Amino acid sequence: MLNTTMQAAFTRREFVHSGMAVVSTAATIPTFLHQSAYALVDPEDMPLVKDQPGIPQDRILVVVQLSGGNDGLNTVVPYGNPAYYNARPGLALRENQVLPLNGGDGIGLHWQLEPLREMLDEGLASIIQGVGYPNPNRSHFASMDIYHTCQARGGKGLGWLGQLLDQIDPTNGTSLIALSGEAPLAGQGQKTQPIAFENPKLFRWIGSEMHAALEARYQQISRDSVEDPNGIGTLIPQPDNPRSFIRRTAMDAQVASQRINEAVAQGSVTSYPGGQLSEQLRMVGAMIRAGLGTRVFYVGLNGFDTHAGQAGRHANLLRQFSVAMRAFYRELQAIGQDQRVLTLAFSEFGRRVGKNASQGTDHGTAGPMFMFGPMIRSGLLGKHPSLAKLDQGDLIYNVDFRSVYAAVMEKWLKADSRKVLGKTFRPANVLKNV
Amino acid sequence: MAISQSLSPLRPDQFGPDQAQHLLNRAGFGGTTDQVAELVEMGLREAVKHLVDYRQVDASSLPKPQADADIIAPLTPEQRQRQAAARRTGNEAEIARFRTLRQQRKADDRRQLEHLQQWWLQRMIESPRPFEEKLVLLWHSHFATNHRTVEDSFLMFKQNLLLRRHANGRFTDLAFGIIRDPAMIRFLDNHANKKQKPNENLARELMELFTLGEGNYTENDIKQGARALTGYSFYDNEFQFMDHEHDKEPKKILGIAGTLNGEDFVRILLKQKACAAFVCYKLYKHFVADIPDQMPRESRSVILQMARSLRATDYRMAPVLKKLFMSRHFYDTAIIGSKIKSPLQLIVGTIRILGTPVRDMSLLIDAAGTMGQTLFNPPSVAGWSGGNTWINTSTLFIRQNLTTYLITGKLPYLDGWTRKQMDYDPTFLTEGLSNRSPETLIDHLTKILIAGPIPAQRRNQLIAFINERDGQIKKDRMIGLLMLITAMPEYQLC
């Protein structure tokens, strides 16, 4: 549980709110068409968006959620420290299973992270060591909620990305797209609501597939501007009047669905390795290329909860993670969009220093975060958490994750992080001057 | 056109099919033309009484839930000793066994939660007392706790029974009950609220979210309220008063002094004018209109009238609700067809109104969750906001695909579905209609499905759809028509 000083910093008024999704346009025109500069242009004809440094509207953030609690010690490996081997005999990586890092001083990477090491060498990746928060929570739900909302117990259901977008892009109906399944709590704002789908085919009405005549009628019904018959009063004034709100959303939905499906159908110019994360990032790349105007993409990789038989599963996951990120940035470079895209990868906690009786590890505390993109300070950042000074067998964090969020919000997206985090966190030094 | 602010009743002759349909939509989940006709037949007063005073309706045929009280039983003292010893000596094998035991229990608990979710959904679909289910849903959102935090399906179930027991009774009984409810106590940490170290969580939410609303008390009232609630804990599924942890010293809450305990605290809250108004505001939002914080003056006027009534009946809610459901305000054209359906209203309503098969209960529970409403898991202590927050571009597609699924059995990601599999035949909906012109058929079907009149363009589009096939309307085309109508924006309202 987060301690009381942390709780006192959270202003309650902000978070106990009826949370009405207010749309600013008074007339019933699709907010999507209204906002997006590219809406009337066929994606095929549209020129690739050129990098325009200094214009934050073009900046994109991708968040990668590694779910289950990634074992940081076997990811960013303190192979030079005997305590590492003493704590987990048989599970600790042997020296020939570790990729040493330049200037790493006894720190290396799990051998499956070769693509990540390449990106480190190219200045495209960074590892922030020892990330966590005070009074760590070792419950999946609780700790994940903390990473999503920056509050104990998930606060009142508002997420950091949602609130961030409320600030910088509140009327953009496609400001946040999540591809990992459920809409992330992180994306829930007062006005911002995430679009979530695993497959863009789910982000549309299935009726059209079933009956040719239906699609045309359905589109008409969804896109037409209609007036209520005379005699119907309105209790709630525009623009929140439920009827008009739904009609507007229906219009937005058709436009968004069409553009997203068309964008994703374009595929990629380079090849992706396949796998859960890779497929999601391929779609992200396609949507960026199509110029949808989305500011934040949320993707994920599951399976990190390695209580038993960790070795093989963890290796597989790390491989998937690194090859997918490598492929993603290759694609972004190929389409000239890499300067615009910052990626942040995190897990809800690390794992315990010692191994357990099932050749695995149990829920822990601090762990590494990863960042990608040409705008980051690349390399191995921060200090590896101490293996000598532990908190009941768990690592003690060095970097509060909220200072990393603050850096992303303040420096990359030019937003007021204090409003989102509830108090001031000095932005971690993880980005170049941007 | 001025909207009625009157709580005085509709004239009996003004209560026709449109009004009866509206009543059944709001005080229930909607129904078939026959069920609507029955209410018209009863007349306004009897129909409202039938719905609100539901205990007179026999519900004994509904299935009983199987709820194991020991699903998350505390470890026995012997077990606890063994676990502590294992941790002390670093006995990994033993620690692993306890972890496996915990994981097993969690898995059992999750399964029981799913069972309870389906039990409740089945009640919503089948109950002859739909108003009971609508009320319990309201109280579940009002006195919100979630399984995610409570982590014990039996406690969530026990709370559901408490809400059910007093759903259309006295609000007083709900308030007294909730401060002793184990799920609530755990959710808001009141078991950690002790004389030496008070925890304000329950006291705060009791005032802010359950009885008075923000701005009607001070921080000091919260502190004193927390002291009054010290020692209100639970053990093994039952409320337990920890006498040695209770602060027996004098306190002063909202101007009233004394050696106040939790019940005294609640009594003081109920005495406040703000309390009756707040409760009526929640009732109004749930059953009448999704009003913003800046209330329309018509709503404000009605809520204040309701509050006066509620105080006059000593917080008995049934009389106020009956008055509301008979009132001219309730049947105003600005109210009918203007409320966004919650996910459960959408799902259950479609099944009840169209008589579609239920298909897969656990899929429906999940679908409601993807639309934002997982039973026993409101997002926070503030419950579900409702209204426009149910609707965004994603949820709109999910909602449309859900009704299409109910009607046709087709799931969005399932290939290989063929029309031959369509097991639902809706042609009964237009049986007995002598005039079978496209216009008549469309008017008949939209009347069943949509509250209030639909825009002329919509009507024309639907008529054109039928005319594409020489105006014939066999099973196939009617299925298509139902899919279209339930995909209309107006179908999201009732």
Side-chain angles (χ1 to χ4, degrees):
Chain A
M1 284 299 114
L2 294 182
N3 64 27
T4 48
T5 47
M6 202 165 154
Q7 282 176 326
F10 306 135
T11 50
R12 296 185 57 75
R13 275 203 101 91
E14 271 181 64
F15 299 114
V16 181
H17 195 94
S18 62
M20 291 281 269
V22 176
V23 182
S24 64
T25 53
T28 307
I29 54 173
T31 54
F32 190 98
L33 285 182
H34 194 63
Q35 284 302 119
S36 169
Y38 309 121
L40 298 174
V41 178
D42 190 304
E44 294 237 333
D45 296 340
M46 196 185 60
L48 291 176
V49 177
K50 289 286 185 278
D51 165 48
Q52 298 179 67
I55 300 184
Q57 279 88 342
D58 275 3
R59 292 180 177 181
I60 291 171
L61 172 68
V62 176
V63 178
V64 180
Q65 175 171 304
L66 306 173
S67 301
N70 175 35
D71 181 28
L73 274 178
N74 273 14
T75 308
V76 183
V77 185
Y79 68 92
N81 190 333
Y84 168 64
Y85 293 97
N86 293 339
R88 28 172 82 185
L91 190 59
L93 297 177
R94 296 190 300 276
E95 234 179 285
N96 64 357
Q97 292 178 307
V98 174
L99 307 171
L101 290 174
N102 296 333
D105 192 29
I107 307 282
L109 294 181
H110 187 293
W111 87 90
Q112 287 285 22
L113 293 174
E114 178 60 51
L116 174 61
R117 186 167 72 162
E118 280 173 26
M119 293 180 81
L120 280 165
D121 288 343
E122 289 167 35
L124 281 180
S126 71
I127 301 164
I128 310 166
Q129 302 181 84
V131 180
Y133 54 89
N135 294 8
N137 193 308
R138 293 167 188 70
S139 142
H140 289 295
F141 281 145
S143 199
M144 194 56 93
D145 279 356
I146 289 167
Y147 270 91
H148 280 229
T149 63
C150 303
Q151 288 199 71
R153 291 269 192 77
K156 301 298 189 207
L158 291 177
W160 75 284
L161 295 168
Q163 291 175 82
L164 160 67
L165 289 164
D166 282 347
Q167 262 189 59
I168 65 173
D169 210 351
T171 57
N172 179 349
T174 51
S175 59
L176 193 153
I177 296 184
L179 299 174
S180 50
E182 270 188 23
L185 181 54
Q188 200 62 38
Q190 304 254 11
K191 303 172 189 115
T192 302
Q193 302 224 34
I195 287 181
F197 53 83
E198 276 181 64
N199 184 321
K201 286 206 178 57
L202 295 176
F203 188 64
R204 64 174 199 193
W205 187 52
I206 56 168
S208 4
E209 292 170 23
M210 302 163 71
H211 211 302
L214 283 175
E215 174 63 8
R217 292 290 159 201
Y218 169 78
Q219 287 295 332
Q220 262 187 318
I221 285 170
S222 304
R223 294 182 191 245
D224 274 1
S225 231
V226 295
E227 299 241 327
D228 280 318
N230 282 333
I232 296 187
T234 350
L235 179 67
I236 293 157
Q238 304 291 7
D240 297 326
N241 173 266
R243 264 195 225 99
S244 10
F245 174 74
I246 289 183
R247 288 170 183 156
R248 256 195 332 269
T249 310
M251 288 186 211
D252 280 357
Q254 302 321 315
V255 179
S257 168
Q258 186 184 343
R259 302 213 57 225
I260 286 170
N261 274 282
E262 283 169 359
V264 171
Q266 301 280 306
S268 53
V269 303
T270 60
S271 69
Y272 278 82
Q276 178 193 2
L277 180 60
S278 175
E279 282 310 303
Q280 293 171 48
L281 288 171
R282 183 210 294 265
M283 287 197 275
V284 173
M287 287 190 271
I288 292 174
R289 184 164 152 241
L292 280 185
T294 301
R295 308 302 305 280
V296 179
F297 292 95
Y298 205 94
V299 297
L301 185 57
N302 303 333
F304 284 87
D305 194 22
T306 49
H307 282 287
Q310 173 172 315
R313 283 203 303 148
H314 193 223
N316 189 1
L317 288 166
L318 291 180
R319 185 185 54 79
Q320 282 192 57
F321 174 52
S322 57
V323 296
M325 293 312 306
R326 170 84 276 194
F328 180 51
Y329 272 86
R330 280 225 178 89
E331 172 75 11
L332 291 177
Q333 283 163 337
I335 61 174
Q337 300 295 303
D338 53 303
Q339 305 279 349
R340 296 174 62 201
V341 182
L342 169 65
T343 303
L344 175 67
F346 79 101
S347 194
E348 71 266 40
F349 40 66
R351 302 188 84 81
R352 283 173 76 70
V353 175
K355 70 169 197 206
N356 62 25
S358 322
Q359 294 309 313
T361 50
D362 297 333
H363 300 177
T365 53
M369 261 185 165
F370 304 87
M371 294 181 83
F372 302 86
M375 68 297 287
I376 62 166
R377 275 185 64 226
S378 72
L380 188 62
L381 306 180
K383 261 181 358 155
H384 195 279
S386 165
L387 287 178
K389 184 160 178 270
L390 298 176
D391 171 18
Q392 294 175 75
D394 281 318
L395 300 170
I396 298 176
Y397 78 102
N398 293 326
V399 178
D400 192 305
F401 75 93
R402 289 165 293 174
S403 63
V404 180
Y405 283 9
V408 171
M409 286 191 271
E410 302 269 343
K411 300 210 139 58
W412 183 239
L413 295 168
K414 307 296 181 192
D416 182 351
S417 66
R418 189 186 202 289
K419 279 210 209 138
V420 175
L421 299 172
K423 67 184 232 208
T424 307
F425 280 87
R426 210 157 59 106
N429 190 7
V430 292
L431 294 172
K432 293 186 189 144
N433 266 339
V434 285
Chain B
M1 168 145 112
I3 298 169
S4 165
Q5 299 178 44
S6 179
L7 261 193
S8 56
L10 213 55
R11 274 194 343 256
D13 62 293
Q14 289 172 314
F15 185 68
D18 289 349
Q19 289 70 30
Q21 180 190 45
H22 173 61
L23 175 64
L24 193 51
N25 277 339
R26 301 300 187 86
F29 298 93
T32 62
T33 23
D34 286 346
Q35 288 166 337
V36 172
E38 267 173 41
L39 291 180
V40 178
E41 181 71 21
M42 285 184 209
L44 178 59
R45 184 171 296 275
E46 278 313 303
V48 168
K49 196 165 186 306
H50 173 78
L51 286 165
V52 176
D53 292 334
Y54 52 74
R55 287 177 209 280
Q56 302 158 7
V57 178
D58 177 20
S60 55
S61 63
L62 293 173
K64 308 264 178 301
Q66 321 276 22
D68 177 3
D70 289 327
I71 200 98
I72 303 276
L75 295 176
T76 64
E78 192 255 328
Q79 281 175 314
R80 266 181 285 140
Q81 271 168 10
R82 274 197 297 131
Q83 185 181 49
R87 285 191 178 142
R88 254 198 327 270
T89 61
N91 182 344
E92 283 298 335
E94 186 75 349
I95 292 176
R97 266 195 290 278
F98 275 105
R99 192 184 57 243
T100 308
L101 173 65
R102 234 185 52 239
Q103 281 170 346
Q104 184 57 47
R105 279 176 153 174
K106 278 197 154 157
D108 290 342
D109 181 55
R110 261 197 307 272
R111 256 193 302 277
Q112 177 157 288
L113 183 75
E114 282 163 15
H115 165 75
L116 291 167
Q117 288 169 326
Q118 293 186 22
W119 159 76
W120 194 359
L121 179 62
Q122 189 169 6
R123 274 191 85 97
M124 288 183 216
I125 293 170
E126 294 178 10
S127 176
R129 309 172 169 182
F131 188 54
E132 174 180 18
E133 303 310 321
K134 293 282 293 255
L135 274 173
V136 179
L137 267 173
L138 163 62
W139 300 129
H140 179 40
S141 181
H142 180 81
F143 295 109
T145 60
N146 56 43
H147 177 263
R148 215 156 128 111
T149 306
V150 173
E151 289 182 314
D152 185 329
S153 57
F154 183 76
L155 292 186
M156 297 304 294
F157 173 61
K158 201 177 147 90
Q159 185 187 89
N160 193 277
L161 294 179
L162 167 73
L163 302 176
R164 225 163 253 288
R165 204 174 304 131
H166 304 297
N168 68 345
R170 281 172 80 224
F171 181 76
T172 313
D173 295 323
L174 283 170
F176 279 135
I178 209 70
I179 60 172
R180 296 185 163 224
D181 175 65
M184 182 59 78
I185 290 172
R186 174 177 283 170
F187 187 69
L188 293 180
D189 304 310
N190 209 63
H191 53 295
N193 182 18
K194 304 178 189 187
K195 171 167 70 183
Q196 301 81 2
K197 198 159 181 248
N199 180 305
E200 294 178 3
N201 234 345
L202 177 57
R204 179 188 301 278
E205 308 306 2
L206 188 56
M207 293 207 268
E208 183 176 332
L209 294 174
F210 302 163
T211 59
L212 303 181
E214 266 185 292
N216 290 305
Y217 49 87
T218 65
E219 283 297 311
N220 192 46
D221 291 321
I222 296 176
K223 280 192 168 53
Q224 303 296 311
R227 291 176 56 211
L229 287 167
T230 46
Y232 280 61
S233 184
F234 72 98
Y235 182 74
D236 201 9
N237 304 331
E238 294 297 328
F239 171 73
Q240 195 173 68
F241 178 65
M242 311 294 272
D243 188 87
H244 55 285
E245 281 165 10
H246 178 68
D247 181 337
K248 301 187 180 80
E249 298 305 303
K251 313 161 189 80
K252 193 171 189 192
I253 304 174
L254 291 164
I256 300 181
T259 54
L260 310 168
N261 65 12
E263 279 71 26
D264 298 321
F265 181 23
V266 170
R267 257 178 239 117
I268 293 170
L269 295 173
L270 293 168
K271 277 205 183 59
Q272 309 301 312
K273 270 219 171 106
C275 184
F278 189 65
V279 173
C280 291
Y281 166 69
K282 295 305 276 296
L283 290 169
Y284 186 93
K285 269 184 83 155
H286 195 73
F287 292 111
V288 183
D290 303 310
I291 49 180
D293 289 341
Q294 285 282 79
M295 278 187 242
R297 98 195 121 69
E298 295 89 349
S299 307
R300 188 187 184 77
S301 165
V302 169
I303 290 168
L304 290 175
Q305 294 176 64
M306 287 170 70
R308 268 199 296 278
S309 239
L310 189 63
R311 283 199 303 278
T313 61
D314 195 27
Y315 283 104
R316 276 176 192 77
M317 294 180 289
V320 179
L321 289 164
K322 280 190 275 198
K323 206 166 184 176
L324 178 67
F325 290 140
M326 289 181 58
S327 73
R328 285 195 248 144
H329 177 77
F330 182 67
Y331 293 100
D332 196 290
T333 59
I335 302 292
I336 297 181
S338 293
K339 193 171 203 302
I340 294 183
K341 294 174 184 168
S342 69
L344 288 163
Q345 178 86 18
L346 179 78
I347 295 170
V348 175
T350 305
I351 295 171
R352 280 187 181 247
I353 294 170
L354 288 180
T356 68
V358 173
R359 304 193 185 281
D360 185 335
M361 287 281 264
S362 88
L363 191 149
L364 295 182
I365 298 281
D366 283 348
T370 326
M371 294 179 215
Q373 193 176 28
T374 307
L375 286 173
F376 298 111
N377 265 315
S380 77
V381 67
W384 286 288
S385 312
N388 290 0
T389 65
W390 293 130
I391 304 286
N392 60 43
T393 54
S394 296
T395 60
L396 198 51
F397 285 125
I398 299 167
R399 291 165 75 113
Q400 293 171 342
N401 288 338
L402 187 285
T403 51
T404 296
Y405 164 68
L406 284 172
I407 293 166
T408 65
K410 169 140 174 76
L411 285 167
Y413 43 84
L414 253 187
D415 295 319
W417 172 92
T418 62
R419 290 239 262 292
K420 287 202 189 59
Q421 293 163 252
M422 285 199 311
D423 53 355
Y424 168 65
D425 186 345
T427 49
F428 72 94
L429 292 169
T430 52
E431 239 163 51
L433 277 184
S434 48
N435 179 345
R436 304 195 67 84
S437 70
E439 288 76 9
T440 314
L441 294 171
I442 294 298
D443 288 341
H444 181 79
L445 289 172
T446 52
K447 170 129 283 182
I448 292 173
L449 285 167
I450 313 273
I454 63 171
Q457 282 128 297
R458 299 271 191 255
R459 186 174 180 267
N460 295 340
Q461 280 148 13
L462 295 171
I463 290 170
F465 178 70
I466 301 186
N467 282 332
E468 272 167 25
R469 276 281 184 85
D470 312 315
Q472 293 277 28
I473 183 159
K474 302 223 174 47
K475 174 181 169 188
D476 225 43
R477 196 129 279 245
M478 193 172 311
I479 296 259
L481 198 50
L482 292 181
M483 284 166 60
L484 271 181
I485 298 174
T486 57
M488 276 168 44
E490 288 74 20
Y491 186 67
Q492 305 301 332
L493 300 155
C494 74

